[in-house]
Amino acid sequence: MDISFIAMQFLSGLMMATLLFLVASGLTLIFGVGNVFNFAHGSFYMLGAYLAYQAVSVWHANFWLSVLVASVGAGIFGMLAEFLFLRRIYGRAEEGGFQILLTYSFILVIDDLVKLVWGTEYKSLPRPTGLTGTAEIFGLSIPSYNLAIIGIGLVIVVIAWLVLSRTRSGRIARAAALDREMLGSLGINVPLTMTVVFGIATAMGGFAGALAAPLRSVSPGAGIEVIIDSLIVVVIGGMGNFWGAWLGALILGEVNSFAVATFPEWASLFSYLVMVLTLIFKPEGIFASRKIRRI
Amino acid sequence: MEPILELQNVTKSFGGLRVTSDVSLSVAQGSISAIIGPNGAGKTTIFNQITGYLKPDSGKIFFCGQDITELNTRDIVTLGMARAFQVTSFFPEETVLDNVRVACLSQKNKTRNLLKGVDDFKDATDQAHKILSSIGLEKEADRPAFELAHGDQKLLDIGIALALQPKLLLLDEPTSGMSPDERLLTRNLVKKLWKEFNLTLIFIEHDMDTVFGIAQTVRVLQMGRLLAEGSPEEIRNNPEVITAYLGEEVL
Amino acid sequence: MKKSLFNKDIIFWGLFVVVFGSVPFLKQSDYHLMLANSILIWGMFAVAFNMLFGVTGMLSFGQALYYGLGAYSVGLVVKNYGPSLFLPAIGLGVVLAVITSILVGLLVIRLSGVYFTVLTLAFGQLAWQITFRWYHFTGGDDGIQGIMPSGVLENHTVYYYFTFVLVILAIWFLRRVANSPMGLVLRCIRQNPERVRFLGRRVRRNQLRIYVISSFFAALAGGLMTGVTNSIHPDMFYWTTSGEVILMAVLGGIGQFFGPFIGATVIIIIQDVVGARTEYWSLIIGLIMMVMVLGMPRGLVGEIRGLKARFAPGRMSRG
């Protein structure tokens, strides 16, 4: 196992981690701020991938424009889902269970709607022009699209950090994560905030789906695979915690990357192994807030 | 006589804020006493530590001579301590009878039974009915608990605690949210239950008529500290307590 | 109060025995027998699942793990050691389910609410992954076909009555549990777990108990089902299987003991009527779930009882 192999796998893991982080942070955002568990978050990722495919292959749009279409489209669908359906069950007794059941129904409905519109066969996207080749770094040739994703991920982390720590909305979001009731007393329009946050979260899912489309082909049913990976990320990191999601994604991405290279047949089990180990030794996640521990 | 409950230098902080500050007290067996103090004085936090719901940062708590500082709620309850809550805590969808009966069954250690019906436990059922008549809810026995009026729900909460046949009963603001008439009834009821069930009883209360009407000993908490302790008469005339809490109108 | 509870049970049991007992005489083909058999088995599965969700408030999205374990125990034993071991294999399946559910339960019951749901889902998917990948042991995606019970059970009618009796015993047992002191404690845990601790009860211990009991019957359902379909497939472990049993419970009514059985009946009949004609099955069940959650959270049985209570004068509805 030489150093270049390790470096290659590390970079590939970093790329997986970036995509995982983009999806999982949306999941954790809406859970942290709105206390809503969106079981269908992976379906918005899938929707993003299909919208990007539609934009590139049918409307012949530029790749980056299609990423925008995917994010905005997934965000709009997310806001509609929140506004038309989820909103109706807030505050109901045993809300948590019904949230999961309702968002579970979204998974089923979105899966079949995607099938109706785009059919059942696998779809994939070409890499964007300019990023189809490889780049040479320290004598390693890395696909330049992978590097671009890592770069985008870093930019997103920095932007998110700035928003969370420097802006009023960021402070509100962090406050809401600690105490949802407090929002109302701050004179904030809670229903509107919920819809917008839901839209942002699902847009992040769609964004990740579009970015991943050139790397993994997408088919109906992709939603559930993505949601389970994101769940493992938030279990490792601690639900509702932004930095936890980042660390969880990093661990899972790297574990996956090295597992794929060494035990390709059983690679998918390693994610679960990490989850089980976390559960045994740190059941509330590495970065859990106290709120979750008590429930 | 050995005290039933003893706190030694109990201290607890939440993120730098001292909510319980070096509290030591000793409660005599068979007594009825009150804890008073302004909002945020740490009254409920003391109850939470006594019942093992919170662990003190330092200090020791003894119950019937046994060190219970590190025990969890479940074990402390089985030793003979029970509690009713400031925000009423019961099982809203169950009938009033079953709310009390589940506590009776728990006290008799019958809750592991899978195959006998709840109704087959005659002694638990009889005991539950007896407690319901003691607290005056017998005629509501078959109604689901969420249908009860607020005052009756407070009483039900106390009834659940009583059903555990505790040696020590902690009541957190038994009369809160009640009308003056209800308060009077509850005050008399608490005193009656104390005698009838041979309890040691500690209650937190804001209603001074209740405090001075039935407590043998009154303890005053202020900002987590035990400010004063004494008979109702002593507390009423304690100048420190008057400035800190009671104010002029009580006199 | 007690009287009406008694009557409701009698009505259910009477209808149940008459309807399902007469199927072998009324059926027009073996297919009808198979359908009725599936309803019995899934009905039991759904009632057992609801002991977790409706009674204790624990939404497990991973009961497929135990259903699959029951089915694969039977499938693999019969394939490797012959059909004479069909019944012992069902026993093996439930024993494995009990052991697995204790281990998984110890890990996931430490966390409640959403965490419990997603972790049970993850463990179910883990089992599915293993089954799917371990081709030379499990047959992978192909599954295993031609699993037959031996002896008298080979006869479809005998097998049907065998399941019928087992399902009656299972539901009778679960009904006893629901009415027992432990059942009362479980309902209390759903409504106010903190207060249950202050009764001197261990909340997690009780949750683990019912998780194991529920998983036992999930495995029994999986094992019995192999005798109906004569095949096993990794999808038995898949999350959609867990989703289906949840849908049955929600459709029938999670607040009603027998509701999930009615839900199972309705879903299996819809599946039979519609399933053959459409590939959009998940759209249909997704919409059913959405309608139930948004409009009829008490389920079919709960809503009907709610209506009866509203039109019966002088009685309060129990919400």
Side-chain angles (χ1 to χ4, degrees):
Chain A
M1 211 188 274
D2 63 304
I3 194 84
S4 71
F5 168 80
I6 292 176
M8 284 290 285
Q9 287 319 124
F10 177 78
L11 279 175
S12 147
L14 205 56
M15 188 219 45
M16 285 190 209
T18 305
L19 289 174
L20 278 172
F21 169 74
L22 288 176
V23 193
S25 58
L27 183 71
T28 213
L29 171 72
I30 187 65
F31 185 78
V33 176
N35 207 8
V36 172
F37 182 77
N38 182 14
F39 198 14
H41 191 68
S43 301
F44 289 95
Y45 166 101
M46 179 180 75
L47 204 57
Y50 273 104
L51 287 172
Y53 166 82
Q54 177 77 11
V56 168
S57 305
V58 184
W59 301 332
H60 305 293
N62 165 295
F63 177 79
W64 301 108
L65 185 64
S66 81
V67 172
L68 184 70
V69 168
S71 316
V72 172
I76 290 173
F77 273 105
M79 285 199 270
L80 281 175
E82 197 277 343
F83 186 77
L84 294 177
F85 304 114
L86 258 174
R87 171 168 296 194
R88 291 163 192 267
I89 60 165
Y90 293 153
R92 188 190 277 180
E94 286 148 62
E95 185 188 329
F98 281 112
Q99 264 178 20
I100 291 179
L101 296 179
L102 186 57
T103 48
Y104 162 61
S105 75
F106 294 169
I107 300 182
L108 298 170
V109 171
I110 293 174
D111 263 2
D112 268 7
L113 290 182
V114 162
K115 247 202 295 193
L116 266 169
V117 177
W118 286 287
T120 49
E121 63 278 15
Y122 282 77
K123 306 278 186 208
S124 61
L125 276 186
R127 292 173 192 193
T129 39
L131 293 173
T132 47
T134 58
E136 297 283 321
I137 302 177
F138 304 122
L140 301 168
S141 33
I142 317 285
S144 38
Y145 185 66
N146 292 14
L147 287 177
I149 288 187
I150 295 172
I152 291 169
L154 286 176
V155 171
I156 298 271
V157 169
V158 172
I159 292 176
W161 176 72
L162 285 175
V163 169
L164 280 175
S165 61
R166 298 290 162 86
T167 65
R168 182 175 140 79
S169 6
R171 279 195 295 274
I172 292 170
R174 280 184 301 150
L178 296 175
D179 187 356
R180 175 159 62 159
E181 280 80 52
M182 210 176 71
L183 278 179
S185 62
L186 286 174
I188 285 159
N189 183 339
V190 178
L192 181 70
T193 310
M194 289 294 286
T195 309
V196 170
V197 170
F198 209 83
I200 294 173
T202 48
M204 286 170 85
F207 179 69
L211 281 185
L215 297 166
R216 318 169 182 161
S217 47
V218 57
S219 64
I224 191 70
E225 292 159 30
V226 173
I227 192 73
I228 288 178
D229 279 344
S230 322
L231 288 174
I232 297 176
V233 166
V234 295
V235 166
I236 298 172
M239 187 92 86
N241 187 301
F242 184 76
W243 297 113
W246 184 80
L247 188 73
L250 189 65
I251 293 173
L252 201 62
E254 292 300 342
V255 165
N256 254 319
S257 165
F258 281 93
V260 166
T262 38
F263 307 96
E265 184 76 352
W266 296 97
S268 51
L269 295 186
F270 278 77
S271 314
Y272 293 100
L273 187 67
V274 178
M275 175 190 80
V276 171
L277 290 177
T278 313
L279 281 177
I280 293 173
F281 295 107
K282 204 112 176 39
E284 66 281 9
I286 296 172
F287 271 113
S289 59
R290 198 178 297 135
K291 182 173 97 175
I292 287 155
R293 217 173 298 171
R294 263 256 77 104
I295 299 173
Chain B
M1 193 162 55
E2 180 186 297
I4 189 165
L5 178 75
E6 198 175 356
L7 272 64
Q8 293 176 354
N9 311 98
V10 170
T11 298
K12 174 88 192 164
S13 308
F14 287 136
L17 181 71
R18 277 210 163 178
V19 285
T20 306
S21 183
D22 200 25
V23 170
S24 297
L25 55 84
S26 157
V27 177
Q29 190 132 25
S31 64
I32 179 166
S33 59
I35 296 178
I36 63 172
N39 285 323
K43 304 184 293 291
T44 300
T45 313
I46 291 263
F47 270 17
N48 283 339
Q49 291 172 85
I50 295 172
T51 53
Y53 191 66
L54 289 175
K55 296 268 166 280
D57 298 335
S58 64
K60 292 239 170 278
I61 303 173
F62 294 89
F63 177 55
C64 298
Q66 184 180 348
D67 184 350
I68 59 163
T69 321
E70 294 302 321
L71 295 188
N72 60 30
T73 300
R74 188 249 168 199
D75 294 327
I76 292 174
V77 170
T78 30
L79 288 176
M81 195 190 291
R83 171 180 183 183
F85 293 77
Q86 184 186 2
V87 178
T88 47
S89 182
F90 55 96
F91 307 107
E93 290 170 30
E94 302 307 315
T95 62
V96 170
L97 176 65
D98 276 346
N99 267 271
V100 177
R101 188 155 58 170
V102 70
C104 296
L105 289 163
S106 176
Q107 193 271 330
K108 295 180 193 307
N109 236 330
K110 299 290 190 216
T111 55
R112 261 187 296 266
N113 198 306
L114 286 177
L115 289 178
K116 276 168 102 177
V118 170
D119 289 332
D120 297 338
F121 292 88
K122 284 273 173 289
D123 48 345
T125 308
D126 292 345
Q127 198 195 333
H129 279 295
K130 191 180 144 232
I131 284 167
L132 286 182
S133 35
S134 295
I135 57 174
L137 291 181
E138 180 59 45
K139 60 182 185 305
E140 317 282 1
D142 287 335
R143 286 176 73 184
F146 74 87
E147 287 180 3
L148 293 183
H150 171 80
D152 286 347
Q153 290 179 347
K154 287 288 300 188
L155 296 182
L156 179 60
D157 195 347
I158 297 175
I160 294 171
L162 271 180
L164 297 170
Q165 302 189 355
K167 298 181 197 129
L168 174 64
L169 177 61
L170 308 174
L171 302 180
D172 197 343
E173 299 199 26
T175 72
S176 73
M178 288 186 173
S179 69
D181 289 349
E182 284 178 320
R183 278 210 289 268
L184 181 64
L185 286 173
T186 306
R187 180 193 315 161
N188 294 332
L189 179 72
V190 168
K191 185 154 189 183
K192 186 193 86 166
L193 293 175
W194 168 62
K195 287 184 181 148
E196 186 181 332
F197 289 86
N198 285 320
L199 297 165
T200 307
L201 203 149
I202 309 175
F203 62 96
I204 293 172
E205 191 50 75
H206 279 296
D207 178 54
M208 287 309 136
D209 294 332
T210 305
V211 171
F212 293 122
I214 60 177
Q216 298 168 324
T217 308
V218 179
R219 295 183 182 83
V220 187
L221 274 184
Q222 193 207 9
M223 299 176 77
R225 274 183 329 112
L226 188 62
L227 184 72
E229 175 173 0
S231 68
E233 209 47 42
E234 286 163 357
I235 294 298
R236 220 195 286 258
N237 298 319
N238 183 321
E240 254 189 301
V241 176
I242 293 168
T243 37
Y245 179 53
L246 292 181
E248 299 293 323
E249 80 275 18
V250 181
L251 303 172
Chain C
M1 195 87 200
K2 289 281 122 52
K3 204 84 181 227
S4 73
L5 201 77
F6 178 74
N7 284 340
K8 191 183 70 185
D9 271 24
I10 289 293
I11 291 168
F12 176 86
W13 286 118
L15 272 175
F16 179 81
V17 171
V18 169
V19 170
F20 285 95
S22 60
V23 168
F25 302 103
L26 302 174
K27 62 166 182 170
Q28 274 136 21
S29 68
D30 258 13
Y31 180 74
H32 289 149
L33 198 63
M34 196 178 126
L35 208 60
N37 219 339
S38 308
I39 292 175
L40 283 174
I41 294 169
W42 275 88
M44 172 185 76
F45 187 9
V47 168
F49 161 77
N50 200 47
M51 292 298 288
L52 269 182
F53 181 38
V55 173
T56 321
M58 303 161 77
L59 176 52
S60 166
F61 225 113
Q63 290 312 92
L65 168 54
Y66 306 106
Y67 180 77
L69 209 54
Y72 267 73
S73 300
V74 174
L76 290 173
V77 166
V78 167
K79 180 192 155 207
N80 292 315
Y81 304 102
S84 59
L85 290 177
F86 185 88
L87 286 182
I90 290 183
L92 175 71
V94 296
V95 168
L96 287 178
V98 165
I99 295 168
T100 314
S101 63
I102 291 173
L103 294 176
V104 172
L106 284 173
L107 284 180
V108 301
I109 288 172
R110 292 195 282 176
L111 303 157
S112 53
V114 168
Y115 260 85
F116 175 77
T117 305
V118 301
L119 291 174
T120 48
L121 170 70
F123 276 99
Q125 290 297 95
L126 171 62
W128 172 73
Q129 283 269 1
I130 293 174
T131 315
F132 193 79
R133 307 251 166 202
W134 202 352
Y135 188 85
H136 67 265
F137 182 58
T138 61
D141 200 18
D142 301 334
I144 296 169
Q145 282 76 35
I147 306 158
M148 297 284 182
S150 67
V152 285
L153 289 179
E154 234 173 309
N155 179 304
H156 289 228
T157 309
V158 174
Y159 189 79
Y160 177 84
Y161 277 116
F162 168 71
T163 348
F164 182 52
V165 171
L166 274 186
V167 168
I168 288 179
L169 287 175
I171 294 182
W172 173 82
F173 171 78
L174 291 169
R175 184 58 170 162
R176 294 300 296 241
V177 173
N179 286 339
S180 74
M182 182 173 140
L184 178 58
V185 169
L186 295 176
R187 289 199 301 277
C188 290
I189 285 175
R190 170 169 50 84
Q191 294 163 52
N192 194 345
E194 182 187 291
R195 186 60 170 168
V196 172
R197 281 205 181 91
F198 277 96
L199 297 180
R201 290 296 114 199
R202 292 191 184 94
V203 170
R204 287 181 194 150
R205 182 76 61 90
N206 281 291
Q207 288 175 323
L208 181 63
R209 277 186 199 127
I210 197 62
Y211 183 68
V212 173
I213 290 173
S214 182
S215 305
F216 175 99
F217 287 105
L220 181 62
L224 289 175
M225 207 59 198
T226 55
V228 178
T229 59
N230 306 121
S231 63
I232 53 174
H233 192 268
D235 275 4
M236 294 177 121
F237 282 105
Y238 201 51
W239 71 287
T240 48
T241 303
S242 302
E244 217 140 295
V245 78
I246 294 172
L247 180 67
M248 289 169 178
V250 171
L251 178 66
I254 57 171
Q256 312 291 332
F257 181 82
F258 296 110
F261 194 93
I262 308 295
T265 311
V266 174
I267 290 289
I268 288 175
I269 290 174
I270 297 179
Q271 201 166 18
D272 178 57
V273 174
V274 171
R277 283 171 221 163
T278 176
E279 51 179 322
Y280 297 107
W281 175 239
S282 59
L283 184 66
I284 292 166
I285 59 176
L287 290 175
I288 293 176
M289 179 67 95
M290 208 181 265
V291 167
M292 296 314 292
V293 171
L294 292 174
M296 304 167 84
R298 292 186 292 180
L300 293 175
V301 179
E303 298 293 336
I304 290 167
R305 297 191 64 213
L307 280 179
K308 266 166 65 182
R310 193 180 323 158
F311 291 114
R315 277 199 57 124
M316 296 286 283
S317 155
R318 266 197 70 175

